[in-house]
Amino acid sequence: MGTIQLSGIGRTFKSTAAVRDIYLTIEDGEFVVLLGPSGCGKTTLLRMIAGLLEPTTGRILLDGVDITELPSKKRDLAMVFQSYALYPHLSVRKNLAFPLKVQHLGKDEIERRVQDVADSLEIGHLLDRKPKELSGGQRQRVAVGRALVRNPKAFLMDEPLSNLDAKLRTQTRHELTALHRRLGATFVYVTHDQVEAMTMATKIVVLNAGAIEQFGSPEEVYDCPESVFVAGFLGSPAMNLLEAQVIGREGIVSLSGTGLAGDLWPGDTDDLDVVVGIRPEHLEIAALSDEHDGILLDGTVEIVENLGGEQILTFSTGRSRIHMRTSRDVRVSVGEQLTLRAAAEHVHLFDRASGRRLEWVAETAADAVGAARESAEPTAEPAAAASLTSRSEPLLTA
Ligand SMILES: Nc1ncnc2c1ncn2[C@@H]1O[C@H](COP(=O)(O)OP(=O)(O)O)[C@@H](O)[C@H]1O
Ligand SMILES: [Mg+2]
C-alpha cells in the first residue's frame, strides 16, 4: 500500500512561498505527475514528501500514518533524482546493494534482490561496471534499480528523463509506464514536460506558483481545463486564447470580440468579459465546412508549417495569433484571408477577471425544481433557464 495524503502542505524560503497550502490525496497505485513550469514548486513538494525538506506548514500521511516528522530513511519511499545520484566509486552491483545494506539485510537476500532487479531492468551485464563506464540511459536505469531494490511503498521521481536524448526519452517513458503497470506501486513523478505527463500519468497535478491549478486525469486536464493557466500550458500548439464578451440577446447566448463572433446556445445571460479558448485541432476553415453555426473567426494566413502527417497554420486575427492543426489536404497560402469556425461544444470560456473556467449550468432555482422532477421521472427535460457559473462561485444569474 502507498497512499500519500498532503494536508495543508506549504514551504516558505525566507519570504518567498515556494509551495502554498496543498491538499492532495495520492491513491495507492496511481502514477501521479506533478506538472508545471520551472520554479512552480514541483521539486520542493517532492522533497517534502521524501523527507528531504521540512514543510513550513501542514502534515504528510503515508497509509494514514503521520510521517511529517519521520526522517527520510525511515519513510519507506524511494527517490530517483534527475542527476541519478549514483556513488561514482562503487560498481553498479554495490550501488544497487547499498540501500539494502543500510537496512542490514543478509548477504544472500541482498544478492538475490539485486539480481532480480538487474534482470527486470536488463542491466545484469553491467553489474561490475562503475557509473562512469555507463551511458546516460544505463545510469538512469541503475538509478531506477536502486529505488526498485528497496521495494518501497512509493517511488518519487524528479525529472528522471531530462538528461536523456529524445529517442532514449521516449523509450524510457514506455519502460517506466510498463514498470508502473507491473509493480502496481504508487509513483509520484515531477516533470515540466507535458508529453511525459499526458502519456504516463493516471492523474496530473498542474502546479502554478506553488499552488494546485487542477488535479485530474490527463483527459480531464486536457479536455476540461479549469483555468486559463492550465488551458495555455497543455497542448502543442497550446489552446488559442482570445479576449471576447459573452452577450445575451433575445434568448441566445453569443460571443463577440475583435474578428470573432457567433452564437453559443439558447439562454439568457448578463454581459461578461471572458477569455475564449479553442484548441488548434477544433478549428476548421468555414468555407470548407458543412456546418454554419458556432463561432467564426477572421484571420490572415501567416505561416504554414508542414509536419509531415499534418500541418499547423498560423493566422493573425485582431490583435492575436491563432493556430490551427489540420490535414495537409487543406491547401492555403500565406497572405490569404479566411474565416475559421469552431463548433460551440468545443469553445471553452474563462472568466477574464479570475481566469477560472465558466460552465453553462441550469439556473439554481429552476435547476433545483428540474433536478427534483428529473429524479422522479427520469425522462424529464432539464430546465431551460440557465446561467454561466464558475465552479466555485456563481457569477451570473439570468
Ligand atoms: N533552497 C532554496 N532556497 C531558496 N529558494 C528556493 C530553494 N529551493 C527552491 N527555492 C525557490 O522555490 C521556488 C520553487 O522551486 P522548485 O521547487 O525548485 O521549482 P521547480 O522544481 O518546479 O522548478 C523557486 O522560486 C525557487 O527559486
Ligand atoms: Mg525542479
Side-chain angles (χ1 to χ4, degrees), residues 313-324:
L313 307 179
T314 304
F315 293 84
S316 61
T317 178
R319 278 165 293 153
S320 328
R321 278 181 151 192
I322 51 178
H323 298 288
M324 170 177 167

Side-chain angles (χ1 to χ4, degrees), residues 11 13-14 16-19 36-45 53 158-159 190 207:
R11 172 70 201 209
F13 294 107
K14 296 204 177 83
T16 43
V19 169
S38 178
C40 72
K42 305 180 294 292
T43 295
T44 303
L45 185 55
L53 187 69
D158 193 351
E159 313 231 10
V190 162
L207 289 170

Side-chain angles (χ1 to χ4, degrees), residues 270-298:
D270 293 336
D271 293 0
L272 182 67
D273 288 335
V274 295
V275 173
V276 178
I278 304 172
R279 292 239 176 248
E281 59 268 34
H282 291 147
L283 281 171
E284 56 187 351
I285 293 172
L288 302 177
S289 165
D290 296 333
E291 310 284 337
H292 299 290
D293 57 347
I295 301 305
L296 300 176
L297 299 100
D298 292 325

Side-chain angles (χ1 to χ4, degrees), residues 191-204:
T191 185
H192 64 274
D193 183 319
Q194 51 165 316
V195 176
E196 284 180 22
M198 287 299 293
T199 54
M200 298 168 87
T202 57
K203 292 275 172 61
I204 297 176

